[in-house]
Amino acid sequence: MYSKFFNISPDKQERILNAALKEFAQKGYEKASTNEIVKEAEISKGLLFHYFKNKKELFLFLYDYFVEIIMDEFYSKIDWNERDLFIRFRDLIVLEFELMKKYPDIFNFFMAAYHEESADVKIELEKRNKEILVSSYQKLFTDIDTSKFKQGIDINRAINIIIWTMEGFSNEQQKKGKFRTVDQINMEEILSEIDHYLNLLKTSFYV
Amino acid sequence: MYSKFFNISPDKQERILNAALKEFAQKGYEKASTNEIVKEAEISKGLLFHYFKNKKELFLFLYDYFVEIIMDEFYSKIDWNERDLFIRFRDLIVLEFELMKKYPDIFNFFMAAYHEESADVKIELEKRNKEILVSSYQKLFTDIDTSKFKQGIDINRAINIIIWTMEGFSNEQQKKGKFRTVDQINMEEILSEIDHYLNLLKTSFYV
Amino acid sequence: MYSKFFNISPDKQERILNAALKEFAQKGYEKASTNEIVKEAEISKGLLFHYFKNKKELFLFLYDYFVEIIMDEFYSKIDWNERDLFIRFRDLIVLEFELMKKYPDIFNFFMAAYHEESADVKIELEKRNKEILVSSYQKLFTDIDTSKFKQGIDINRAINIIIWTMEGFSNEQQKKGKFRTVDQINMEEILSEIDHYLNLLKTSFYV
Amino acid sequence: MYSKFFNISPDKQERILNAALKEFAQKGYEKASTNEIVKEAEISKGLLFHYFKNKKELFLFLYDYFVEIIMDEFYSKIDWNERDLFIRFRDLIVLEFELMKKYPDIFNFFMAAYHEESADVKIELEKRNKEILVSSYQKLFTDIDTSKFKQGIDINRAINIIIWTMEGFSNEQQKKGKFRTVDQINMEEILSEIDHYLNLLKTSFYV
DNA sequence: TATGAATGAGAATTCATTCAT
DNA sequence: GATGAATGAATTCTCATTCAT
């Protein structure tokens, strides 16, 4: 599967990958044009369909390919020894920011994929349980130290509240246009604001 | 502006409005077909473009039109005398559920608009500060009773945490497919879960 | 159905009909190019699909349309009072030759349709029991005078033999290239040969 | 000519031959895909075009190759001592049925070739006077015993009538779908009906 | 011999928008 | 106001054939 593609020169692989990534990230699945992709990648029309039998397969290939790359790097860098929920969370956010800075196109692509409405692709995307980073925090808090929580607090719901707070904050930043594209993030400022929220929640949930 | 449209028979206005609403709600901006809209509304192709100079204007008109309708009803039904944050919030959610049940097509349209990626329309949508209900809770908590909060708690951030928790919960429901379309909501069950979260937060933030 | 098409100017109707007829007749369903059709008919690409939702519908429309025209003319010109099998048959053949001379393109189209292998269209063609002239002689001999036949002769099978002899003869002419296209028929010569065959069979089957 | 092809291993020859035969038989010349052929034959794209300079040559090579095989077997099995027209004819039909059962793919290919409309190939096919079995009976009745015919009967035309009757009957069976593919023939039933026709003609033509 | 990457014209179809009537 | 015929660029995808390796 896709062995054809992996056998060509790495340079050409990269050109195709990047061209497709950019096009899908910018325009979404439906509006992305295979014509633009081949033009940008400087390959012929037929060649793209020689590697990927149709647009959908190309899209899903890209998705799987980059999910694996990002996830590998992500999981390998997590400090699993840190069992304090809030510290762990903060670490994850910092890590995510770093990855976003390193691979902005990939993250833009993931966001496009996450919001994809096209029936063609949506179902396939949902089948894949490798959910993208943005919405997969839940698994990352299984071995957390629960001894610090106030009695009577439902820890799973508490974790959800923290996650959703972070997501909500992040969405708001996006809406404000604070980081229209991934590369314009003012990390200091944002981290400081995140710490305010994390502290507020820590005060609330910890003894 | 749009005076042409408002001068035709209310029956025809409604047919056009509903046809367009449904089409955009189902397929999103890009994939929505003006052909389908005129067919459903039983008007000619030319007429649609006589009223609205292009697809984008039609979409944005619909948006503004229905935002106003929904907002009017929403604001008029809020009990502004209830100043307890959590009660106010719960009231708002119940109210929103009621409206969703009453105008499911409109809410499906809003959701489609909220997730719209199409560059054409996204920018225009962002310009409008009448943000859609889903994400506009912030303004609704200006006159809240702050005396019940624990000392040292930043109330604005606390409100955001509540809002984002509710949004995150709602998104998760959608992802689970619990309410694929607006009309299949199990209100009892969801309200009960919402109350768990609200109580957890109340315990955390109130004295 | 197809009212759109019938409402345009007869001149344009004819241009489209003829262009499509010629293209399908020459290249068969699959290889016929809608591009060529619109070029020949001097209309835009979109317009063809405005009238006929796809290539298949265009093809089947042509088929039904011309079958009706030819059949109407054919049946209206048959002398139903002539009840002698061989005279009737000869009349029909002469009539068919006349029609082929009058509408050569249509007959070329029918022959293409008759041999059409494309699954897309074959099934639809088979559904239509209006079989094309070439293969529908059977119905034309229901009221024949059977008193002249030798005793013991199965009349239905005898009729089949006559039909198949005529068809076989006709196919052989085509194979020999004697009438590569419909308009080059040497009617005298062919009729004379046909009469030989009919006489041979008449001698065999009649008392 | 084709010496390249005949020098490779018989196993590979056979794979290529069978793959091409099947593809052309199923889809006809135009729609047959060289991609499918090389995939099925497990050879590379380039190799196919190394042996046969293009699709057309491959097709015509197949045709010549299999016509020869079938014809050799056919002619070698005819009982040339049987000089009665009707017995000879019946023998031929039985022989043909046997071959069709033995080599169904080849016969399906012949039928596809016989109906081929593609201009590219049609002309070449017509040039070859090795006509395929189905339509080449004529040569098989040169040494027939003519003494049994009624006086005044043109024997060549009589033979044609028999041939065309058989062909017509066979075509009708196909149209009825009685043998959609070669392997589902109910030989008993068909032979019985054939005998009816042969007897009718025998009674008519013999003294 | 053998490979399979690469080509690029051409296929059918869609669609927002215009404009003469 | 109202019609709907007309446009044509853009879409995804196919395929026989070539050629450097």
Side-chain angles (χ1 to χ4, degrees):
Chain A
M1 202 83 216
Y2 302 116
S3 56
K4 277 184 205 167
F5 178 72
F6 287 121
N7 278 342
I8 61 171
S9 78
D11 164 58
K12 196 180 274 187
Q13 278 184 39
E14 208 178 344
R15 261 157 47 216
I16 296 173
L17 253 21
N18 286 336
L21 192 70
K22 210 195 285 181
E23 181 74 6
F24 282 122
Q26 280 172 9
K27 307 196 190 160
Y29 176 72
E30 210 73 55
K31 259 222 124 183
S33 161
T34 53
N35 267 343
E36 289 303 312
I37 292 171
V38 300
K39 210 183 293 169
E40 171 90 10
E42 293 180 302
I43 58 166
S44 75
K45 206 91 162 271
L47 190 54
L48 186 68
F49 291 95
H50 182 63
Y51 298 132
F52 308 98
K53 87 171 203 280
N54 52 37
K55 193 184 182 180
K56 185 173 159 187
E57 272 209 359
L58 168 61
F59 182 87
L60 294 173
F61 169 82
L62 276 188
Y63 183 81
D64 291 337
Y65 181 82
F66 287 115
V67 162
E68 190 163 336
I69 286 183
I70 294 297
M71 285 312 214
D72 282 357
E73 189 160 343
F74 189 73
Y75 278 93
S76 76
K77 287 190 174 164
I78 293 175
D79 175 5
W80 295 102
N81 296 321
E82 179 52 69
R83 297 186 57 238
D84 180 276
L85 176 62
F86 288 94
I87 301 179
R88 168 80 67 85
F89 212 120
R90 201 181 184 284
D91 287 352
L92 295 179
I93 286 169
V94 170
L95 179 49
E96 192 178 346
F97 275 137
E98 280 167 8
L99 290 174
M100 286 170 89
K101 227 169 202 160
K102 194 169 170 192
Y103 307 109
D105 288 340
I106 299 181
F107 274 76
N108 284 329
F109 172 74
F110 284 164
M111 297 204 177
Y114 185 62
H115 288 124
E116 194 50 63
E117 291 291 327
S118 170
D120 222 26
V121 128
K122 203 178 176 181
I123 296 162
E124 284 299 322
L125 239 31
E126 280 166 6
K127 274 189 205 157
R128 287 155 164 70
N129 54 2
K130 315 168 200 160
E131 283 148 34
I132 56 173
L133 212 52
V134 179
S135 61
S136 64
Y137 288 128
Q138 280 93 341
K139 310 157 197 160
L140 302 169
F141 305 105
T142 42
D143 59 342
I144 231 56
D145 176 8
T146 59
S147 62
K148 298 175 186 168
F149 282 88
K150 284 178 188 157
Q151 232 179 351
I153 287 213
D154 179 327
I155 294 179
N156 284 325
R157 290 202 180 96
I159 292 179
N160 279 338
I161 288 173
I162 303 173
I163 293 169
W164 292 333
T165 297
M166 291 299 103
E167 282 176 11
F169 174 73
S170 152
N171 288 334
E172 206 188 46
Q173 298 306 98
Q174 280 179 283
K175 240 185 302 173
K176 278 187 193 163
K178 276 213 176 148
F179 44 107
R180 198 154 290 287
T181 60
V182 186
D183 50 283
Q184 304 156 335
I185 308 174
N186 181 344
M187 200 162 148
E188 304 302 319
E189 197 185 323
I190 288 174
L191 267 183
S192 145
E193 182 67 12
I194 283 172
D195 285 335
H196 274 110
Y197 279 102
L198 289 179
N199 285 330
L200 201 167
L201 288 163
K202 195 184 201 170
T203 318
S204 303
F205 295 156
Y206 272 13
V207 272
Chain B
M1 199 86 213
Y2 303 117
S3 56
K4 281 184 209 162
F5 177 73
F6 287 120
N7 279 339
I8 61 172
S9 79
D11 165 59
K12 196 181 273 186
Q13 280 183 39
E14 206 177 347
R15 262 157 43 215
I16 295 173
L17 255 19
N18 285 336
L21 191 71
K22 211 196 283 180
E23 181 74 6
F24 282 122
Q26 281 171 7
K27 307 194 190 161
Y29 176 73
E30 210 71 57
K31 280 209 97 184
S33 160
T34 52
N35 262 334
E36 289 305 310
I37 292 171
V38 299
K39 210 182 293 169
E40 172 90 10
E42 292 178 305
I43 59 163
S44 75
K45 204 76 185 287
L47 195 53
L48 186 69
F49 289 92
H50 181 65
Y51 297 135
F52 308 98
K53 88 168 202 277
N54 53 35
K55 193 185 183 180
K56 186 173 157 188
E57 273 210 356
L58 168 61
F59 182 87
L60 294 173
F61 170 81
L62 276 187
Y63 183 82
D64 292 337
Y65 181 83
F66 286 115
V67 162
E68 189 163 336
I69 286 185
I70 293 297
M71 285 312 215
D72 283 356
E73 187 160 346
F74 188 73
Y75 278 92
S76 76
K77 286 191 175 164
I78 293 175
D79 175 5
W80 296 102
N81 296 322
E82 177 52 67
R83 297 186 57 240
D84 180 278
L85 175 62
F86 290 94
I87 300 178
R88 169 79 68 85
F89 211 119
R90 202 182 183 283
D91 287 352
L92 295 179
I93 287 169
V94 171
L95 179 49
E96 190 178 348
F97 275 138
E98 281 168 9
L99 290 174
M100 286 170 88
K101 231 171 199 158
K102 195 169 170 190
Y103 307 109
D105 287 340
I106 300 180
F107 274 77
N108 284 329
F109 172 76
F110 284 164
M111 295 201 178
Y114 184 62
H115 287 125
E116 195 50 64
E117 290 291 325
S118 171
D120 224 25
V121 128
K122 202 178 177 182
I123 296 162
E124 284 299 323
L125 238 32
E126 281 165 5
K127 275 189 204 157
R128 286 156 166 68
N129 56 1
K130 314 167 200 160
E131 284 146 35
I132 57 172
L133 210 54
V134 179
S135 60
S136 65
Y137 288 127
Q138 280 93 340
K139 310 155 197 163
L140 303 169
F141 304 104
T142 43
D143 60 342
I144 231 56
D145 176 8
T146 57
S147 63
K148 297 178 186 168
F149 282 88
K150 284 178 188 158
Q151 232 179 351
I153 287 211
D154 178 327
I155 293 179
N156 284 325
R157 292 203 179 95
I159 291 178
N160 278 338
I161 288 173
I162 303 173
I163 293 168
W164 292 333
T165 296
M166 291 299 103
E167 282 176 11
F169 173 74
S170 153
N171 288 335
E172 205 187 49
Q173 298 306 97
Q174 278 178 283
K175 239 187 302 173
K176 279 187 191 163
K178 277 213 175 148
F179 44 105
R180 203 152 282 288
T181 61
V182 184
D183 50 284
Q184 304 157 333
I185 308 174
N186 181 343
M187 201 162 146
E188 303 301 321
E189 198 185 322
I190 287 174
L191 268 182
S192 145
E193 183 67 11
I194 283 173
D195 285 335
H196 274 110
Y197 279 102
L198 290 179
N199 284 331
L200 202 166
L201 290 164
K202 195 184 204 169
T203 317
S204 303
F205 295 157
Y206 272 14
V207 272
Chain C
M1 203 81 217
Y2 302 117
S3 55
K4 277 184 205 167
F5 178 72
F6 288 121
N7 279 342
I8 61 171
S9 79
D11 165 59
K12 195 179 274 188
Q13 277 184 41
E14 209 177 342
R15 262 159 44 218
I16 294 173
L17 253 19
N18 287 337
L21 193 70
K22 210 194 286 181
E23 180 74 5
F24 282 123
Q26 281 172 8
K27 307 197 190 159
Y29 176 72
E30 209 74 54
K31 259 219 122 183
S33 161
T34 53
N35 268 342
E36 290 303 311
I37 293 172
V38 300
K39 210 184 292 169
E40 171 91 11
E42 292 178 304
I43 58 165
S44 74
K45 204 86 162 276
L47 191 52
L48 187 68
F49 292 94
H50 182 63
Y51 298 134
F52 308 99
K53 86 172 202 280
N54 53 35
K55 192 184 182 181
K56 184 173 161 189
E57 272 209 1
L58 168 61
F59 182 87
L60 294 172
F61 170 82
L62 276 188
Y63 183 81
D64 291 337
Y65 181 82
F66 287 116
V67 162
E68 189 162 336
I69 285 185
I70 294 297
M71 286 311 216
D72 282 357
E73 189 159 345
F74 189 74
Y75 278 93
S76 77
K77 287 190 172 163
I78 294 175
D79 176 4
W80 295 102
N81 296 321
E82 179 51 68
R83 297 188 56 241
D84 181 275
L85 176 61
F86 289 95
I87 301 179
R88 167 79 68 86
F89 212 119
R90 202 183 181 285
D91 287 354
L92 295 179
I93 286 168
V94 171
L95 180 50
E96 191 178 346
F97 276 137
E98 283 168 6
L99 290 174
M100 286 170 88
K101 227 168 201 159
K102 197 168 166 190
Y103 308 110
D105 286 341
I106 299 181
F107 274 77
N108 284 329
F109 172 75
F110 284 165
M111 297 203 177
Y114 184 62
H115 289 125
E116 195 48 65
E117 292 291 329
S118 169
D120 222 24
V121 130
K122 203 178 178 181
I123 295 162
E124 284 299 323
L125 239 32
E126 280 165 7
K127 273 190 207 158
R128 287 154 166 70
N129 55 0
K130 314 167 201 162
E131 283 148 35
I132 59 172
L133 212 53
V134 181
S135 62
S136 66
Y137 288 128
Q138 280 93 341
K139 308 155 197 164
L140 302 168
F141 305 104
T142 43
D143 59 343
I144 233 54
D145 177 9
T146 59
S147 62
K148 298 175 185 170
F149 282 88
K150 285 177 189 160
Q151 236 181 348
I153 286 212
D154 179 327
I155 294 181
N156 285 325
R157 290 204 179 95
I159 291 179
N160 278 339
I161 288 172
I162 303 173
I163 292 168
W164 291 334
T165 297
M166 292 298 103
E167 283 177 10
F169 173 74
S170 152
N171 288 335
E172 206 188 46
Q173 298 306 99
Q174 280 179 279
K175 239 185 302 174
K176 279 187 191 163
K178 275 213 175 149
F179 44 106
R180 197 155 289 286
T181 61
V182 185
D183 51 285
Q184 303 155 334
I185 309 176
N186 181 343
M187 201 162 146
E188 303 301 321
E189 197 184 323
I190 287 174
L191 267 183
S192 148
E193 184 66 13
I194 283 173
D195 284 334
H196 275 111
Y197 278 102
L198 289 179
N199 284 330
L200 202 167
L201 289 165
K202 196 186 203 166
T203 318
S204 303
F205 295 156
Y206 272 12
V207 273
Chain D
M1 199 86 215
Y2 302 118
S3 55
K4 278 183 213 162
F5 178 73
F6 286 122
N7 279 339
I8 60 172
S9 79
D11 164 59
K12 196 181 275 185
Q13 279 184 40
E14 207 178 345
R15 263 157 42 214
I16 295 173
L17 254 20
N18 285 337
L21 191 72
K22 211 194 286 180
E23 181 73 6
F24 282 122
Q26 280 171 8
K27 308 196 190 159
Y29 176 73
E30 210 72 55
K31 280 207 95 186
S33 159
T34 52
N35 260 335
E36 289 304 309
I37 293 172
V38 300
K39 211 184 291 169
E40 172 89 11
E42 293 179 304
I43 59 165
S44 76
K45 204 76 184 288
L47 194 53
L48 187 71
F49 289 91
H50 180 66
Y51 298 135
F52 309 98
K53 88 168 200 277
N54 54 34
K55 192 184 183 181
K56 185 173 159 189
E57 273 211 358
L58 167 62
F59 182 86
L60 293 172
F61 169 82
L62 275 189
Y63 183 81
D64 293 338
Y65 181 84
F66 285 115
V67 162
E68 190 162 334
I69 285 184
I70 293 296
M71 285 312 214
D72 283 356
E73 187 160 346
F74 189 72
Y75 278 93
S76 76
K77 287 191 172 163
I78 294 175
D79 175 4
W80 294 102
N81 296 321
E82 179 50 68
R83 297 187 55 240
D84 180 277
L85 176 62
F86 289 94
I87 300 179
R88 169 78 69 86
F89 211 119
R90 203 184 182 283
D91 286 354
L92 295 180
I93 285 169
V94 171
L95 180 50
E96 192 179 345
F97 275 138
E98 282 168 7
L99 290 175
M100 285 169 87
K101 232 170 197 158
K102 196 168 167 191
Y103 307 110
D105 286 341
I106 300 181
F107 274 76
N108 283 329
F109 172 74
F110 284 165
M111 296 201 177
Y114 185 62
H115 287 125
E116 194 49 63
E117 291 292 326
S118 170
D120 223 24
V121 128
K122 204 179 176 180
I123 295 162
E124 285 298 322
L125 239 31
E126 280 164 8
K127 276 190 203 156
R128 286 156 165 67
N129 53 2
K130 313 167 201 162
E131 283 147 33
I132 57 171
L133 210 53
V134 178
S135 62
S136 66
Y137 289 128
Q138 281 93 339
K139 310 153 197 166
L140 302 169
F141 305 104
T142 43
D143 59 342
I144 231 55
D145 177 8
T146 59
S147 63
K148 297 176 184 168
F149 281 88
K150 284 178 188 159
Q151 237 180 346
I153 288 214
D154 178 327
I155 294 181
N156 284 326
R157 291 204 179 94
I159 292 179
N160 278 340
I161 288 172
I162 303 174
I163 292 167
W164 292 334
T165 298
M166 290 299 104
E167 283 177 11
F169 173 73
S170 153
N171 288 335
E172 206 187 49
Q173 298 305 100
Q174 279 179 282
K175 239 186 304 174
K176 280 186 191 162
K178 276 211 175 151
F179 45 105
R180 206 152 279 288
T181 61
V182 186
D183 49 285
Q184 304 156 333
I185 309 175
N186 181 345
M187 201 161 145
E188 303 301 321
E189 198 184 324
I190 287 174
L191 268 182
S192 146
E193 184 66 12
I194 283 174
D195 285 335
H196 274 111
Y197 278 102
L198 289 179
N199 285 331
L200 200 166
L201 289 164
K202 196 184 202 167
T203 318
S204 303
F205 295 157
Y206 274 11
V207 274

